[in-house]
Amino acid sequence: MKRETPPQSPASSVGTAGRPPGRWQLDRIVAELRVSREETHSIRQDGEARRAPSRDTLDAILDGLTEALFPRHYGQSDLDGENIDYFVGNRLSIALDSLSAQIHRGALFVGDELEPGFEREEAVELTRAFASQLPSVRGLLISDLRAAFVGDPAARNFPEILIGYPGMTAVIHHRLAHLLYRLGARLIARLMSEIAHARTGIDIHPGASVGSGFFIDHGTGVVIGETAIIGNHVRIYQAVTLGARHFPTDDEGSVIKGDARHPIVEDDVVIYAGATILGRITIGRGSTIGGNVWLTKDVPPNSVVTQASVRNTPAGA
């Protein structure tokens, strides 16, 4: 009986390598990418390639700093009076050494000799200044924790909020990133804020100024722009946007960077889910902004703004 030869697979028909010569035309594509990278579409300012900061390393730095701030919650639950300070010191030493290196790398990558941290000694000094303010940052975070406990009837205890609420995670990351932003390590701060965004769905630019007792409930979809100013004891809910209404341009039509374009939210304001607040407007102290409201005008103190009240406001009022 004659045995039939099974049909060959595409891989077996082209030899042991499994792909024919020039299958992807890599020589041509690589050459064209080089032309784009080095000539026609180059985005390097000085033509010198430098190593970018590592998001994975910054991820680990954020975790280490958080463990140092809250060692029994994010670190080890069995820490006692004899070893807790050793644990905190160890975590800080590792995180700060790594942060200094990333600040230096970030300044070199941006390529501006005026950027703080461009010289290694500057990166060390900047990191030292950052570290010296960590106790104050922890104090602010405790005020945020208390605000979450008071503001959310579903919260049973502090540990539940601290390790389980995405809003609390986002605020921890923001306060650390904002401190670096103010000290001048802006690329590192921005990358840290994007790590928080990826983890929680909450997007807070590190330049945004946030007062004490800040509580983000639920949080998914919250966006807070660079020049936003938020007062003390402010509570916001999911899908709230504190954004820009328009982007001012110079005489050549280029967007002006750093211009104040985001809202000011004064103390004791509550902003409910889905509200969109745009432009350099002021939400007065003690006001309540209802869900899904669209605001582009100032709000006086102690106001209650609902969809109905916005619809009934005369144009230009």
mmCIF file of all heavy atoms in Angstrom, residues 47-80:
data_model
loop_
_atom_site.group_PDB
_atom_site.id
_atom_site.type_symbol
_atom_site.label_atom_id
_atom_site.label_comp_id
_atom_site.label_asym_id
_atom_site.label_seq_id
_atom_site.Cartn_x
_atom_site.Cartn_y
_atom_site.Cartn_z
ATOM 1 N N GLY A 47 21.040 66.598 18.818
ATOM 2 C CA GLY A 47 21.525 65.484 18.019
ATOM 3 C C GLY A 47 22.190 64.382 18.813
ATOM 4 O O GLY A 47 22.552 63.349 18.262
ATOM 5 N N GLU A 48 22.343 64.565 20.147
ATOM 6 C CA GLU A 48 23.018 63.556 20.963
ATOM 7 C C GLU A 48 21.983 62.679 21.664
ATOM 8 O O GLU A 48 21.089 63.179 22.339
ATOM 9 C CB GLU A 48 23.910 64.228 22.000
ATOM 10 C CG GLU A 48 24.691 63.233 22.860
ATOM 11 C CD GLU A 48 25.576 63.932 23.867
ATOM 12 O OE1 GLU A 48 25.721 65.169 23.767
ATOM 13 O OE2 GLU A 48 26.102 63.248 24.749
ATOM 14 N N ALA A 49 22.127 61.372 21.482
ATOM 15 C CA ALA A 49 21.185 60.448 22.108
ATOM 16 C C ALA A 49 21.504 60.291 23.588
ATOM 17 O O ALA A 49 22.655 60.111 23.968
ATOM 18 C CB ALA A 49 21.254 59.096 21.414
ATOM 19 N N ARG A 50 20.479 60.386 24.447
ATOM 20 C CA ARG A 50 20.651 60.197 25.879
ATOM 21 C C ARG A 50 19.598 59.228 26.384
ATOM 22 O O ARG A 50 18.516 59.097 25.815
ATOM 23 C CB ARG A 50 20.534 61.530 26.618
ATOM 24 C CG ARG A 50 21.643 62.528 26.295
ATOM 25 C CD ARG A 50 21.559 63.726 27.226
ATOM 26 N NE ARG A 50 22.682 64.630 27.046
ATOM 27 C CZ ARG A 50 22.630 65.738 26.322
ATOM 28 N NH1 ARG A 50 21.519 66.067 25.702
ATOM 29 N NH2 ARG A 50 23.686 66.515 26.219
ATOM 30 N N ARG A 51 19.907 58.602 27.494
ATOM 31 C CA ARG A 51 19.029 57.588 28.052
ATOM 32 C C ARG A 51 17.867 58.238 28.790
ATOM 33 O O ARG A 51 18.060 59.123 29.632
ATOM 34 C CB ARG A 51 19.830 56.705 29.001
ATOM 35 C CG ARG A 51 19.111 55.428 29.408
ATOM 36 C CD ARG A 51 20.029 54.595 30.268
ATOM 37 N NE ARG A 51 19.411 53.347 30.651
ATOM 38 C CZ ARG A 51 19.918 52.499 31.537
ATOM 39 N NH1 ARG A 51 21.097 52.788 32.097
ATOM 40 N NH2 ARG A 51 19.307 51.386 31.844
ATOM 41 N N ALA A 52 16.656 57.806 28.493
ATOM 42 C CA ALA A 52 15.470 58.370 29.135
ATOM 43 C C ALA A 52 15.323 57.832 30.556
ATOM 44 O O ALA A 52 15.839 56.760 30.893
ATOM 45 C CB ALA A 52 14.221 58.010 28.317
ATOM 46 N N PRO A 53 14.599 58.567 31.421
ATOM 47 C CA PRO A 53 14.273 58.016 32.739
ATOM 48 C C PRO A 53 13.467 56.726 32.584
ATOM 49 O O PRO A 53 12.752 56.536 31.598
ATOM 50 C CB PRO A 53 13.431 59.123 33.389
ATOM 51 C CG PRO A 53 13.780 60.360 32.644
ATOM 52 C CD PRO A 53 14.082 59.933 31.242
ATOM 53 N N SER A 54 13.559 55.875 33.565
ATOM 54 C CA SER A 54 12.893 54.574 33.530
ATOM 55 C C SER A 54 11.579 54.637 34.294
ATOM 56 O O SER A 54 11.557 54.897 35.499
ATOM 57 C CB SER A 54 13.791 53.499 34.143
ATOM 58 O OG SER A 54 13.058 52.324 34.408
ATOM 59 N N ARG A 55 10.481 54.369 33.605
ATOM 60 C CA ARG A 55 9.177 54.342 34.286
ATOM 61 C C ARG A 55 9.112 53.203 35.296
ATOM 62 O O ARG A 55 8.502 53.342 36.362
ATOM 63 C CB ARG A 55 8.054 54.212 33.256
ATOM 64 C CG ARG A 55 7.768 55.493 32.498
ATOM 65 C CD ARG A 55 6.600 55.335 31.546
ATOM 66 N NE ARG A 55 5.376 55.042 32.248
ATOM 67 C CZ ARG A 55 4.246 55.743 32.118
ATOM 68 N NH1 ARG A 55 4.219 56.791 31.328
ATOM 69 N NH2 ARG A 55 3.160 55.403 32.768
ATOM 70 N N ASP A 56 9.725 52.060 34.982
ATOM 71 C CA ASP A 56 9.728 50.954 35.936
ATOM 72 C C ASP A 56 10.452 51.349 37.216
ATOM 73 O O ASP A 56 10.008 51.026 38.324
ATOM 74 C CB ASP A 56 10.396 49.724 35.318
ATOM 75 C CG ASP A 56 9.554 49.080 34.231
ATOM 76 O OD1 ASP A 56 8.334 49.350 34.195
ATOM 77 O OD2 ASP A 56 10.113 48.313 33.415
ATOM 78 N N THR A 57 11.570 52.049 37.078
ATOM 79 C CA THR A 57 12.310 52.496 38.252
ATOM 80 C C THR A 57 11.505 53.517 39.046
ATOM 81 O O THR A 57 11.462 53.467 40.279
ATOM 82 C CB THR A 57 13.662 53.096 37.838
ATOM 83 O OG1 THR A 57 14.430 52.103 37.143
ATOM 84 C CG2 THR A 57 14.442 53.580 39.045
ATOM 85 N N LEU A 58 10.852 54.449 38.349
ATOM 86 C CA LEU A 58 10.020 55.434 39.036
ATOM 87 C C LEU A 58 8.844 54.763 39.740
ATOM 88 O O LEU A 58 8.422 55.193 40.824
ATOM 89 C CB LEU A 58 9.528 56.482 38.047
ATOM 90 C CG LEU A 58 10.605 57.401 37.475
ATOM 91 C CD1 LEU A 58 10.025 58.301 36.391
ATOM 92 C CD2 LEU A 58 11.236 58.243 38.577
ATOM 93 N N ASP A 59 8.311 53.712 39.134
ATOM 94 C CA ASP A 59 7.265 52.918 39.769
ATOM 95 C C ASP A 59 7.751 52.392 41.111
ATOM 96 O O ASP A 59 7.064 52.494 42.144
ATOM 97 C CB ASP A 59 6.897 51.750 38.856
ATOM 98 C CG ASP A 59 5.409 51.484 38.837
ATOM 99 O OD1 ASP A 59 4.782 51.599 39.891
ATOM 100 O OD2 ASP A 59 4.885 51.140 37.765
ATOM 101 N N ALA A 60 8.954 51.812 41.114
ATOM 102 C CA ALA A 60 9.527 51.266 42.342
ATOM 103 C C ALA A 60 9.829 52.370 43.355
ATOM 104 O O ALA A 60 9.663 52.183 44.572
ATOM 105 C CB ALA A 60 10.798 50.487 42.019
ATOM 106 N N ILE A 61 10.257 53.534 42.874
ATOM 107 C CA ILE A 61 10.536 54.665 43.768
ATOM 108 C C ILE A 61 9.249 55.110 44.474
ATOM 109 O O ILE A 61 9.233 55.341 45.687
ATOM 110 C CB ILE A 61 11.157 55.835 42.983
ATOM 111 C CG1 ILE A 61 12.587 55.488 42.553
ATOM 112 C CG2 ILE A 61 11.148 57.121 43.810
ATOM 113 C CD1 ILE A 61 13.167 56.464 41.550
ATOM 114 N N LEU A 62 8.167 55.235 43.723
ATOM 115 C CA LEU A 62 6.886 55.614 44.319
ATOM 116 C C LEU A 62 6.455 54.610 45.382
ATOM 117 O O LEU A 62 5.976 54.987 46.456
ATOM 118 C CB LEU A 62 5.816 55.732 43.232
ATOM 119 C CG LEU A 62 5.832 57.020 42.415
ATOM 120 C CD1 LEU A 62 4.909 56.890 41.215
ATOM 121 C CD2 LEU A 62 5.422 58.214 43.280
ATOM 122 N N ASP A 63 6.627 53.335 45.086
ATOM 123 C CA ASP A 63 6.268 52.303 46.065
ATOM 124 C C ASP A 63 7.141 52.421 47.312
ATOM 125 O O ASP A 63 6.642 52.320 48.444
ATOM 126 C CB ASP A 63 6.421 50.914 45.445
ATOM 127 C CG ASP A 63 5.333 50.604 44.431
ATOM 128 O OD1 ASP A 63 4.299 51.299 44.436
ATOM 129 O OD2 ASP A 63 5.520 49.674 43.632
ATOM 130 N N GLY A 64 8.439 52.644 47.126
ATOM 131 C CA GLY A 64 9.342 52.764 48.265
ATOM 132 C C GLY A 64 9.028 53.971 49.127
ATOM 133 O O GLY A 64 9.029 53.895 50.368
ATOM 134 N N LEU A 65 8.749 55.104 48.493
ATOM 135 C CA LEU A 65 8.405 56.312 49.243
ATOM 136 C C LEU A 65 7.088 56.130 49.994
ATOM 137 O O LEU A 65 6.949 56.571 51.146
ATOM 138 C CB LEU A 65 8.309 57.509 48.297
ATOM 139 C CG LEU A 65 9.621 57.973 47.670
ATOM 140 C CD1 LEU A 65 9.352 59.030 46.606
ATOM 141 C CD2 LEU A 65 10.583 58.517 48.734
ATOM 142 N N THR A 66 6.116 55.495 49.352
ATOM 143 C CA THR A 66 4.831 55.246 50.005
ATOM 144 C C THR A 66 4.996 54.321 51.204
ATOM 145 O O THR A 66 4.379 54.517 52.256
ATOM 146 C CB THR A 66 3.833 54.657 49.005
ATOM 147 O OG1 THR A 66 3.705 55.534 47.876
ATOM 148 C CG2 THR A 66 2.457 54.490 49.633
ATOM 149 N N GLU A 67 5.857 53.314 51.068
ATOM 150 C CA GLU A 67 6.139 52.420 52.195
ATOM 151 C C GLU A 67 6.804 53.174 53.340
ATOM 152 O O GLU A 67 6.527 52.906 54.519
ATOM 153 C CB GLU A 67 7.039 51.280 51.731
ATOM 154 C CG GLU A 67 6.338 50.271 50.837
ATOM 155 C CD GLU A 67 7.284 49.202 50.326
ATOM 156 O OE1 GLU A 67 8.504 49.332 50.545
ATOM 157 O OE2 GLU A 67 6.814 48.230 49.716
ATOM 158 N N ALA A 68 7.676 54.116 53.020
ATOM 159 C CA ALA A 68 8.334 54.905 54.067
ATOM 160 C C ALA A 68 7.354 55.834 54.765
ATOM 161 O O ALA A 68 7.450 56.073 55.972
ATOM 162 C CB ALA A 68 9.488 55.707 53.462
ATOM 163 N N LEU A 69 6.383 56.370 54.027
ATOM 164 C CA LEU A 69 5.392 57.262 54.614
ATOM 165 C C LEU A 69 4.393 56.503 55.472
ATOM 166 O O LEU A 69 3.945 56.994 56.518
ATOM 167 C CB LEU A 69 4.658 58.021 53.504
ATOM 168 C CG LEU A 69 5.469 59.063 52.730
ATOM 169 C CD1 LEU A 69 4.690 59.552 51.517
ATOM 170 C CD2 LEU A 69 5.864 60.238 53.615
ATOM 171 N N PHE A 70 4.020 55.305 55.026
ATOM 172 C CA PHE A 70 3.022 54.501 55.730
ATOM 173 C C PHE A 70 3.541 53.065 55.867
ATOM 174 O O PHE A 70 3.046 52.145 55.217
ATOM 175 C CB PHE A 70 1.689 54.526 54.976
ATOM 176 C CG PHE A 70 1.105 55.909 54.829
ATOM 177 C CD1 PHE A 70 1.233 56.608 53.641
ATOM 178 C CD2 PHE A 70 0.443 56.520 55.894
ATOM 179 C CE1 PHE A 70 0.709 57.889 53.507
ATOM 180 C CE2 PHE A 70 -0.081 57.794 55.765
ATOM 181 C CZ PHE A 70 0.048 58.484 54.574
ATOM 182 N N PRO A 71 4.532 52.875 56.726
ATOM 183 C CA PRO A 71 5.252 51.594 56.752
ATOM 184 C C PRO A 71 4.402 50.408 57.185
ATOM 185 O O PRO A 71 4.621 49.288 56.693
ATOM 186 C CB PRO A 71 6.396 51.853 57.736
ATOM 187 C CG PRO A 71 5.967 53.020 58.552
ATOM 188 C CD PRO A 71 5.123 53.861 57.646
ATOM 189 N N ARG A 72 3.448 50.610 58.077
ATOM 190 C CA ARG A 72 2.644 49.472 58.529
ATOM 191 C C ARG A 72 1.498 49.145 57.584
ATOM 192 O O ARG A 72 0.900 48.074 57.683
ATOM 193 C CB ARG A 72 2.092 49.746 59.927
ATOM 194 C CG ARG A 72 3.155 49.692 61.029
ATOM 195 C CD ARG A 72 2.509 49.607 62.399
ATOM 196 N NE ARG A 72 3.508 49.474 63.447
ATOM 197 C CZ ARG A 72 3.963 50.482 64.193
ATOM 198 N NH1 ARG A 72 3.525 51.721 63.936
ATOM 199 N NH2 ARG A 72 4.850 50.288 65.138
ATOM 200 N N HIS A 73 1.181 50.040 56.684
ATOM 201 C CA HIS A 73 0.091 49.797 55.734
ATOM 202 C C HIS A 73 0.610 49.304 54.391
ATOM 203 O O HIS A 73 0.065 48.366 53.804
ATOM 204 C CB HIS A 73 -0.732 51.075 55.530
ATOM 205 C CG HIS A 73 -1.485 51.491 56.742
ATOM 206 N ND1 HIS A 73 -0.918 52.253 57.746
ATOM 207 C CD2 HIS A 73 -2.762 51.241 57.133
ATOM 208 C CE1 HIS A 73 -1.823 52.465 58.703
ATOM 209 N NE2 HIS A 73 -2.945 51.872 58.345
ATOM 210 N N TYR A 74 1.659 49.962 53.885
ATOM 211 C CA TYR A 74 2.207 49.585 52.591
ATOM 212 C C TYR A 74 3.498 48.782 52.720
ATOM 213 O O TYR A 74 3.964 48.209 51.740
ATOM 214 C CB TYR A 74 2.479 50.826 51.740
ATOM 215 C CG TYR A 74 1.232 51.441 51.156
ATOM 216 C CD1 TYR A 74 0.586 52.487 51.806
ATOM 217 C CD2 TYR A 74 0.704 50.964 49.955
ATOM 218 C CE1 TYR A 74 -0.557 53.056 51.260
ATOM 219 C CE2 TYR A 74 -0.436 51.527 49.416
ATOM 220 C CZ TYR A 74 -1.063 52.573 50.074
ATOM 221 O OH TYR A 74 -2.193 53.123 49.531
ATOM 222 N N GLY A 75 4.088 48.772 53.889
ATOM 223 C CA GLY A 75 5.346 48.065 54.086
ATOM 224 C C GLY A 75 5.131 46.693 54.680
ATOM 225 O O GLY A 75 4.711 45.761 54.002
ATOM 226 N N GLN A 76 5.362 46.582 55.986
ATOM 227 C CA GLN A 76 5.210 45.317 56.690
ATOM 228 C C GLN A 76 4.331 45.534 57.914
ATOM 229 O O GLN A 76 4.619 46.383 58.761
ATOM 230 C CB GLN A 76 6.573 44.759 57.124
ATOM 231 C CG GLN A 76 7.494 44.448 55.968
ATOM 232 C CD GLN A 76 8.862 43.986 56.432
ATOM 233 O OE1 GLN A 76 9.829 44.055 55.700
ATOM 234 N NE2 GLN A 76 8.963 43.518 57.680
ATOM 235 N N SER A 77 3.284 44.747 58.025
ATOM 236 C CA SER A 77 2.328 44.933 59.118
ATOM 237 C C SER A 77 2.902 44.536 60.473
ATOM 238 O O SER A 77 2.382 44.952 61.515
ATOM 239 C CB SER A 77 1.067 44.113 58.840
ATOM 240 O OG SER A 77 1.381 42.728 58.724
ATOM 241 N N ASP A 78 3.974 43.730 60.482
ATOM 242 C CA ASP A 78 4.517 43.250 61.751
ATOM 243 C C ASP A 78 5.640 44.123 62.295
ATOM 244 O O ASP A 78 6.350 43.733 63.226
ATOM 245 C CB ASP A 78 5.030 41.814 61.599
ATOM 246 C CG ASP A 78 6.120 41.693 60.538
ATOM 247 O OD1 ASP A 78 6.299 42.658 59.764
ATOM 248 O OD2 ASP A 78 6.775 40.630 60.479
ATOM 249 N N LEU A 79 5.815 45.311 61.767
ATOM 250 C CA LEU A 79 6.857 46.204 62.270
ATOM 251 C C LEU A 79 6.524 46.651 63.692
ATOM 252 O O LEU A 79 5.364 46.898 64.029
ATOM 253 C CB LEU A 79 6.980 47.423 61.361
ATOM 254 C CG LEU A 79 7.500 47.151 59.945
ATOM 255 C CD1 LEU A 79 7.363 48.404 59.085
ATOM 256 C CD2 LEU A 79 8.949 46.685 59.971
ATOM 257 N N ASP A 80 7.551 46.771 64.529
ATOM 258 C CA ASP A 80 7.350 47.233 65.897
ATOM 259 C C ASP A 80 8.284 48.401 66.191
ATOM 260 O O ASP A 80 9.007 48.878 65.317
ATOM 261 C CB ASP A 80 7.557 46.095 66.896
ATOM 262 C CG ASP A 80 8.934 45.453 66.777
ATOM 263 O OD1 ASP A 80 9.902 46.169 66.444
ATOM 264 O OD2 ASP A 80 9.047 44.233 67.014
#
